[in-house]
Amino acid sequence: MLNEIPLSRPDTPLLDKVDNSTDLKLLELDQLAQLADELRAYLLYSVGQTGGHFGAGLGVVELTIALHYVFDTPKDKLVWDVGHQAYPHKILTGRRDQMLTMRQAGGLAAFPNRGESEFDTFGVGHSSTSISATLGLMVAARLQDKQRHNIAVIGDGAMTAGMAFEALNHAGHLDDNILVILNDNNMSISNNVGGLSSYFARMWASKPYNFIRTGSKRVLSKIPPALRAAHRAEEYMKGMVSPGTLFEEIGFNYIGLVDGHDTNGLVEILSNIKTLRGPQLLHIITQKGKGYLESENDPFGMHALSKIDPGASMKNGPTEEAAEETVEVAAKVTSSPSYSEVFGDWLCDVAQHDELVVGITPAMGEGSGMRKFATEFPERFHDVAIAEQHAVTFAAGMACDGLKPIVAIYSTFLQRGYDQLIHDVALQNLNVMFAIDRAGLVGEDGPTHAGSFDLSYLRCIPNMLLMTPSNEDETYKLLSTGYHHTGPSAIRYPRGKGPGKEIETGLEPVTIGKAVVRRSGKSVAILAFGSMVTPALEVAEDLDSTLIDMRFVKPLDEEIIGDMAAKHQLIVTIEENTVMGGAGSAVNEFLLASNYQIPVLNLGLPDTFLEHGKVPKMLADVGLDATSIATAIKKKLKDCKIHSEAV
């Protein structure tokens, strides 16, 4: 058991010999426990150097070793769900020394990535996809006569999503060789492993039992009533000592409960499962954060770790603020709240004012700043688990009967509930507000978690009110505006902290569709949306330009856009969203429809998936820092032969 995170590289003589599954198989079975200890220590060391997810990885160290020891990876296909738990997998598959580049620009990705290693069978980042993907790999192998094993590793949290059960049901229908490993690290089904359940798990995976089981069914198949009776008896027996009846009913052979930290036991069971035919579900019990005392005691709070300062205490536990990607601004920002915290405080304020307000989140309550609300208003807080589609329609049902649901969700995950947003909320013009966190770039988590598209995919939906606050105070005001609005609304804000604007509390709305002039100038009118107002202000002062904080993407302040077009020689739009279909496109559409003849420069995220890195550097790389914005404007002025005193 480790009490602190190593600040220097631990001694790992066995681990140093393992660069792939072939090397791993050269070890003796009795060496695997030592390898697990070394792997766990190295995982803690590397994450301490780079930051990242480690709680889930600590919980699957023994499972990862056993899987690569038993199966012929990468020929056998191993798919990790979400990917938080895949760090040990990366260490064992040729990326041990690269772990110190994790989540850094040009370094290893935070999640499995097919472009990174042949051992990463499927790229992940969003949850509950592993069974579907593995099933697709299984069918592909069957059609191409490829003999291999196909394994999906999914956590009990990811198993809450309907997509996982859709895939399980389909797998049972196809009735071919697939292994689903359910990693249960919340002890949500059973509080202890051992005794009778462990005995039956070993028996159900054993060759003699399955030989008798399949042989008996072949004989009894000639007597259908007897076969049905035998099948029922087996189900009832398993149901008395295990939670696997559900999986058996949809066509899986359930094997569990199994101690997920017994390496040798896992090797034995997996070796036996390799010989079985048909869909298999292995249910293991693990402890999130296993082997690191603080993580074991607080598995949720220690889910991820920020980079450790060598001069600080080695027992640094990450707070939500430490895990956030903060914007590099003046020192006064240090004490300012994150956007998530602004939302959380506002939600408590409005709930105190209105008993019809409810908060909903699909497993993002902590990250979205809802902890305080959940404590103060537990009967009005609903975490529906990893079920984004359900969260949206659940909110729609509430709104139909007079409640005022606020759905807190990350931009990248709202994509998963898009049909429900259109069909169940917007089409019925219901009073559901979406508080969209992590809009724009998110840094080290990379393209799977970036909120690059929400302005584009939301502004095309009828009845939507779409808002982009530029600072903490604007966030509070626009949240109140969405709350008072009749119909669906969405407010999107970035990860981390803003520029440090003092908040004037109060639930009064601002005028919908009304922008704010932040600075008056000459020649160029900059129309900035949300997070881009801060760098745009620096540019406007440098070039003596007009700066408009647009506030609203839908409806646009068409009056002020027209006024800017009449008084200036160049319109510039800036947004932390893809340029294609975004806020700038909305401005273009208005100018074209209104027959304004004026050059326009649209700045935003490019038409590509941006890899991980530090947000300020990423923004600079795509031309969204102040220096790059100013350069782009000067070039546009020159190209259009527009005279400007500031150029």
Side-chain angles (χ1 to χ4, degrees), residues 319-347:
T319 62
E320 182 179 343
E321 288 133 10
E324 295 283 359
E325 175 66 39
T326 58
V327 181
E328 296 178 359
V329 292
K332 67 176 181 178
V333 177
T334 304
S335 60
S336 67
S338 68
Y339 282 105
S340 301
E341 291 169 328
V342 173
F343 165 71
D345 290 342
W346 173 86
L347 184 60

Side-chain angles (χ1 to χ4, degrees), residues 449-498:
H449 283 57
S452 305
F453 312 109
D454 53 74
L455 295 185
S456 301
Y457 70 68
L458 288 174
R459 78 173 190 88
C460 62
I461 302 174
N463 296 330
M464 285 297 301
L465 170 65
L466 184 53
M467 300 169 284
T468 57
S470 57
N471 56 49
E472 299 89 338
D473 185 50
E474 283 287 308
T475 301
Y476 199 97
K477 286 182 169 63
L478 292 180
L479 283 165
S480 298
T481 303
Y483 158 72
H484 286 288
H485 176 65
T486 299
S489 62
I491 175 172
R492 58 106 72 172
Y493 41 87
R495 183 180 188 177
K497 299 177 184 290

Side-chain angles (χ1 to χ4, degrees), residues 401-479:
D401 203 26
L403 295 185
K404 299 177 181 177
I406 315 292
V407 180
I409 191 168
Y410 297 176
S411 173
T412 184
F413 297 123
L414 182 56
Q415 295 162 185
R416 309 184 86 178
Y418 191 55
D419 177 66
Q420 288 70 25
L421 191 154
I422 295 173
H423 184 272
D424 299 334
V425 175
L427 181 62
Q428 302 185 87
N429 201 29
L430 295 173
N431 293 347
V432 177
M433 185 166 80
F434 296 90
I436 305 173
D437 206 333
R438 272 66 166 180
L441 300 179
V442 294
E444 287 97 335
D445 282 343
T448 60
H449 283 57
S452 305
F453 312 109
D454 53 74
L455 295 185
S456 301
Y457 70 68
L458 288 174
R459 78 173 190 88
C460 62
I461 302 174
N463 296 330
M464 285 297 301
L465 170 65
L466 184 53
M467 300 169 284
T468 57
S470 57
N471 56 49
E472 299 89 338
D473 185 50
E474 283 287 308
T475 301
Y476 199 97
K477 286 182 169 63
L478 292 180
L479 283 165

Side-chain angles (χ1 to χ4, degrees), residues 75-77 137-150 176-177:
K75 177 188 173 185
D76 289 337
K77 301 302 181 183
L137 289 164
M138 182 199 80
V139 171
R142 185 169 68 183
L143 289 176
Q144 298 174 78
D145 269 342
K146 294 180 179 179
Q147 301 301 312
R148 69 179 183 220
H149 296 277
N150 302 283
D176 208 336
N177 298 339

Side-chain angles (χ1 to χ4, degrees), residues 66-88:
L67 284 168
H68 285 294
Y69 193 79
V70 171
F71 291 98
D72 184 18
T73 57
K75 177 188 173 185
D76 289 337
K77 301 302 181 183
L78 175 59
V79 179
W80 298 93
D81 209 282
V82 184
H84 290 161
Q85 74 274 45
Y87 286 18

Side-chain angles (χ1 to χ4, degrees), residues 18-26 68-69 71-74 92-93 119:
V18 178
D19 285 322
N20 51 51
S21 55
T22 302
D23 295 336
L24 179 59
K25 289 176 173 61
L26 297 177
H68 285 294
Y69 193 79
F71 291 98
D72 184 18
T73 57
L92 291 176
T93 54
F119 286 90

